[in-house]
């Protein structure tokens, strides 16, 4: 219910291996604002499905990103759709299906 009620998600981590919380929010159609550390750079495409600021201490950048998404609902809505589509790729059923397919092709 938290994700459904959210307009956006902000994670300004100094270290983040993958960004599971971000994937969860993205799957819920919530664009994320991220510090862009480690796995976050790989997960988020800047200004497509979220916003990457200039690191965990970029408070001004995060504030600008919030303001932009609040003032531009059409941009937020597009990011929301893009975020959900990207997050679908990380469903465990999807990942297992791809893993099994790769394993079968190797064993042939």
């Amino acid at each position: 219910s938290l994700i459904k009620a959210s307009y956006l998600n902000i994670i300004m981590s100094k270290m983040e291996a993958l960004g599971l919380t971000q994937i969860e929010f993205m799957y819920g159609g919530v664009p994320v604002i991220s510090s862009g550390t480690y796995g976050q750079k790989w997960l988020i495409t800047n200004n497509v499905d979220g916003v990457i600021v200039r690191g965990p201490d970029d408070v001004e950048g995060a504030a600008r990103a919030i303001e932009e998404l609040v003032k531009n609902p059409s941009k937020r809505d597009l990011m929301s759709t893009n975020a959900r589509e990207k997050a679908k790729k990380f469903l465990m059923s999807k990942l297992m299906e791809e893993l099994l397919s790769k394993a079968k092709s190797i064993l042939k």
Side-chain angles (χ1 to χ4, degrees):
S1 60
L2 171 66
I3 293 171
K4 287 182 181 182
S6 297
Y7 191 76
L8 53 86
N9 174 260
I10 302 173
I11 297 184
M12 300 294 285
S13 300
K14 292 186 183 283
M15 294 180 65
E16 190 76 39
L18 172 63
L20 184 56
T21 301
Q22 290 167 314
I23 294 172
E24 291 170 341
F25 274 86
M26 291 169 73
Y27 187 77
V30 178
V32 296
I33 298 171
S34 167
S35 58
T37 57
Y38 302 97
Q40 296 174 15
K41 289 180 198 173
W42 169 77
L43 178 63
I44 298 161
T45 304
N46 194 32
N47 290 313
V48 175
D49 45 44
V51 177
I52 298 175
V53 298
R54 295 179 184 190
D57 299 320
D58 187 10
V59 175
E60 290 86 16
R64 280 192 303 275
I66 293 167
E67 183 177 16
E68 173 67 22
L69 294 177
V70 168
K71 288 184 174 180
N72 191 343
S74 61
K75 180 177 183 177
R76 187 226 170 254
D77 291 346
L78 179 59
M79 279 188 178
S80 175
T81 300
N82 293 340
R84 180 153 172 78
E85 288 304 309
K86 180 177 273 181
K88 285 180 183 179
K89 297 176 186 176
F90 297 101
L91 291 173
M92 186 57 70
S93 58
K94 179 84 170 160
L95 294 173
M96 289 306 298
E97 183 180 299
E98 290 177 20
L99 179 62
L100 286 172
S101 175
K102 293 266 187 200
K104 286 178 183 177
S105 69
I106 291 170
L107 294 174
K108 287 184 178 182

